[in-house]
């Protein structure tokens, strides 16, 4: 199993930086952030991350920053952390000045190349934690995510706008260095995924935020299908963006089936860590239609489909493709789905199924931030 990493800055993240020089070169400047030891200790004990410290120390070893003013203080910091059970696998220190432009200095990755293209590490689900925009840039350069601290103090509004692309999808910005928030976030995880699925028949872009508010932007070229996918976002409280370009000049089959596969693959990525998750869900009637959807994100795919339709199409969507969509989702998301529906109005029946599906997902992906419990007697999902 690949290992996730926390690349953690030292000054301004674990310990206060001391103005006006922001250089920690004497013991009277050393103060640790409140609750850092408590929650860093929990991260080290409870969460499965490798800890790596990455710090820029401008001119260390030169006359303006002699080594004998750095190492006694740094060693005290490390011993204090170890006294609380917080062990860093590696401590990487760059000594260059900003104007030198060396690739070893954050956001350069010169000191971190051994973590790249290495099957031991899950860089996509690793994080850089730091208080400067260079830490966010480092995360981007490494191909991982960022937790950015001290937002208000780090940049003004104009500078934030300039860095909008960096902050767009893989950065969590916290307005203070509150280690309880960092711990809670890491424990719950960033269940946000951007996923592409491209074939000769379809090109699909999916963005999913499992802990969203129900926002959606759906475009598949099939209006009724868009309407049904919108139900998943709205009633599941999931932020969902789907852009499908399919071979509709042939028929609807590939567009619908491949969208189900792409959405299921995105869910599988977003729900990779199921600790604290409910796992199961169920729901729901709509008017005269009685729909039941049971779901289990247990890692195994299976579909039970007890729904029939008397019309060949609803809107532009062939009713035979409803089964194929849910089968594709079940296979790709590795979940059990049991779907039943009875009723008279065909539109109501399928809409009830999609709404029930959304509500079932909402129940199943709900998490308890206090729990580290994996919902399985096997101990693995």
């Amino acid at each position: 199993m690949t290992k996730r990493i926390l690349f953690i800055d030292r000054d301004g993240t674990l310990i206060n930086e001391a103005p006006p020089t922001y250089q920690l070169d004497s013991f009277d400047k050393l103060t640790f952030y409140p609750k850092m030891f408590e929650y860093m200790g929990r991260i080290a004990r409870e969460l499965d991350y490798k800890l790596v410290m990455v710090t820029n120390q401008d001119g260390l070893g030169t006359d303006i920053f002699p080594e004998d003013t750095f190492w006694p203080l740094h060693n005290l910091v490390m011993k204090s952390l170890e006294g609380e059970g917080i062990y860093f696998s590696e401590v990487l220190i760059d000594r260059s000045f900003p104007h030198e432009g060396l690739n070893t200095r954050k956001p350069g990755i010169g000191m971190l190349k051994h973590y790249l293209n290495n099957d031991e590490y899950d860089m996509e689900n690793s994080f850089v934690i730091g208080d400067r925009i260079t830490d966010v840039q480092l995360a981007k350069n490494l191909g991982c995510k960022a937790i950015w601290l001290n937002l208000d103090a780090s940049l003004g509004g104009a500078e934030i706008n300039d860095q909008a692309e960096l902050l767009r999808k893989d950065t969590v910005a916290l307005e203070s260095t509150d280690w309880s928030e960092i711990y809670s976030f890491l424990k719950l995880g960033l269940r946000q995924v951007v996923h592409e699925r491209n074939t000769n028949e379809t090109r699909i872009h999916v963005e999913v935020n499992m802990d969203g508010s129900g926002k959606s932007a759906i475009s598949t070229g099939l209006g009724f299908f868009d309407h049904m996918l919108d139900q998943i976002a709205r009633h599941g409280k999931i932020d969902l963006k789907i852009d499908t370009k399919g071979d509709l000049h042939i028929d609807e089959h590939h567009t619908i089936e491949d969208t189900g596969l792409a959405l299921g693959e995105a869910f599988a990525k977003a729900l990779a860590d199921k600790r604290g998750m409910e796992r199961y869900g169920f729901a729901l009637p709509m008017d005269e239609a009685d729909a039941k959807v049971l779901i289990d994100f247990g890692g195994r795919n299976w579909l039970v489909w007890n729904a029939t339709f008397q019309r060949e199409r609803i809107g532009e969507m062939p009713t035979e493709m409803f089964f194929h969509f849910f089968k594709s989702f079940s296979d790709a998301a590795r979940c059990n789905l049991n779907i039943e529906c009875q009723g008279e109005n065909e539109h109501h029946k399928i809409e009830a199924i999609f709404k029930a599906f959304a509500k079932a997902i909402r129940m199943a992906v709900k998490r308890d931030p206090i729990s580290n419990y994996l919902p399985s007697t096997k101990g693995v999902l």
Side-chain angles (χ1 to χ4, degrees):
M1 181 179 292
T2 55
K3 190 81 170 177
R4 297 176 297 172
I5 307 172
L6 295 182
F7 298 99
I8 303 178
D9 180 37
R10 194 193 75 160
D11 305 346
T13 302
L14 298 171
I15 56 181
N16 270 298
E17 288 187 300
T21 64
Y22 296 96
Q23 194 172 77
L24 289 163
D25 51 11
S26 64
F27 286 99
D28 62 310
K29 294 181 179 179
L30 176 61
T31 57
F32 294 94
Y33 279 111
K35 300 184 284 188
M36 184 276 292
F37 283 115
E38 176 184 356
Y39 288 101
M40 265 299 296
R42 289 190 180 187
I43 289 168
R45 291 191 302 272
E46 299 173 15
L47 308 184
D48 189 24
Y49 286 99
K50 177 186 178 83
L51 303 182
V52 176
M53 183 179 291
V54 188
T55 178
N56 291 340
Q57 298 295 328
D58 298 0
L60 177 61
T62 65
D63 290 342
I64 67 166
F65 195 1
E67 299 212 27
D68 60 5
T69 66
F70 172 79
W71 288 110
L73 185 146
H74 176 75
N75 291 337
L76 175 63
V77 169
M78 301 309 296
K79 287 180 181 178
S80 299
L81 291 165
E82 291 169 4
E84 298 297 324
I86 305 162
Y87 293 90
F88 282 81
S89 306
E90 191 170 16
V91 177
L92 301 170
I93 301 171
D94 178 74
R95 300 162 173 254
S96 66
F97 291 101
H99 66 268
E100 295 180 73
L102 298 183
N103 191 41
T104 54
R105 181 183 178 84
K106 291 189 295 182
I109 58 172
M111 297 190 296
L112 300 164
K113 289 183 178 178
H114 51 294
Y115 292 109
L116 301 178
N117 302 315
N118 189 327
D119 293 340
E120 292 183 32
Y121 303 114
D122 179 4
M123 297 300 291
E124 185 178 358
N125 292 302
S126 297
F127 290 89
V128 174
I129 305 178
D131 67 316
R132 294 179 181 271
I133 195 64
T134 51
D135 295 304
V136 179
Q137 292 167 328
L138 175 65
K140 182 179 180 181
N141 293 342
L142 290 172
C144 62
K145 301 176 177 68
I147 299 176
W148 188 23
L149 313 179
N150 292 332
L151 176 60
D152 287 342
S154 298
L155 290 180
E159 291 173 292
I160 291 174
N161 290 335
D162 290 343
Q163 300 294 338
E165 177 59 27
L166 277 175
L167 302 174
R168 185 174 63 86
K169 64 183 179 181
D170 287 332
T171 301
V172 177
L174 303 178
E175 294 187 359
S176 65
T177 309
D178 186 336
W179 275 91
S180 65
E181 289 187 27
I182 300 170
Y183 163 78
S184 295
F185 170 77
L186 288 172
K187 189 163 186 179
L188 290 177
L190 183 66
R191 301 194 298 181
Q192 186 172 334
V193 166
V194 177
H195 178 60
E196 301 272 351
R197 190 178 197 277
N198 298 316
T199 70
N200 291 334
E201 298 159 340
T202 57
R203 299 184 64 82
I204 304 173
H205 176 89
V206 178
E207 297 183 18
V208 176
N209 179 3
M210 302 303 301
D211 304 297
S213 59
K215 295 182 293 185
S216 68
I218 312 293
S219 177
T220 66
L222 298 169
F224 186 77
F225 191 31
D226 291 354
H227 180 50
M228 292 300 99
L229 294 171
D230 182 65
Q231 305 304 313
I232 298 173
R234 191 174 306 276
H235 294 281
K237 301 294 185 189
I238 297 165
D239 290 345
L240 182 59
K241 180 177 181 179
I242 300 176
D243 184 24
T244 300
K245 301 287 190 298
D247 53 0
L248 292 176
H249 61 287
I250 296 176
D251 70 5
E252 307 86 350
H253 188 103
H254 298 142
T255 293
I256 297 169
E257 187 173 56
D258 288 5
T259 298
L261 288 169
L263 184 61
E265 289 164 355
F267 268 61
K269 288 183 176 182
L271 302 177
D273 186 349
K274 297 182 175 66
R275 287 173 296 180
M277 198 176 87
E278 291 292 337
R279 175 178 167 180
Y280 306 100
F282 52 92
L284 163 131
M286 179 176 174
D287 295 340
E288 88 295 340
D290 176 17
K292 179 177 71 174
V293 175
L294 311 178
I295 196 165
D296 172 16
F297 286 106
R300 298 185 302 276
N301 59 297
W302 193 266
L303 175 64
V304 175
W305 178 261
N306 291 320
T308 59
F309 298 90
Q310 304 306 311
R311 287 165 53 183
E312 182 180 350
R313 289 176 176 269
I314 302 177
E316 320 96 312
M317 192 166 177
T319 53
E320 67 177 5
M321 289 306 302
F322 296 138
F323 167 84
H324 286 285
F325 170 80
F326 287 106
K327 178 66 165 60
S328 297
F329 180 89
S330 171
D331 289 347
R334 298 191 293 277
C335 70
N336 286 183
L337 268 177
N338 189 315
I339 298 175
E340 297 182 19
C341 186
Q342 300 178 16
E344 299 176 4
N345 183 288
E346 306 296 84
H347 184 123
H348 288 169
K349 285 162 63 178
I350 193 57
E351 187 162 343
I353 287 174
F354 270 89
K355 286 180 176 178
F357 177 58
K359 289 292 187 182
I361 289 172
R362 185 64 179 166
M363 292 181 191
V365 303
K366 183 179 178 182
R367 291 182 300 181
D368 180 356
I370 305 302
S371 172
N372 200 40
Y373 169 72
L374 188 70
S376 172
T377 55
K378 294 181 176 64
V380 64
L381 281 176

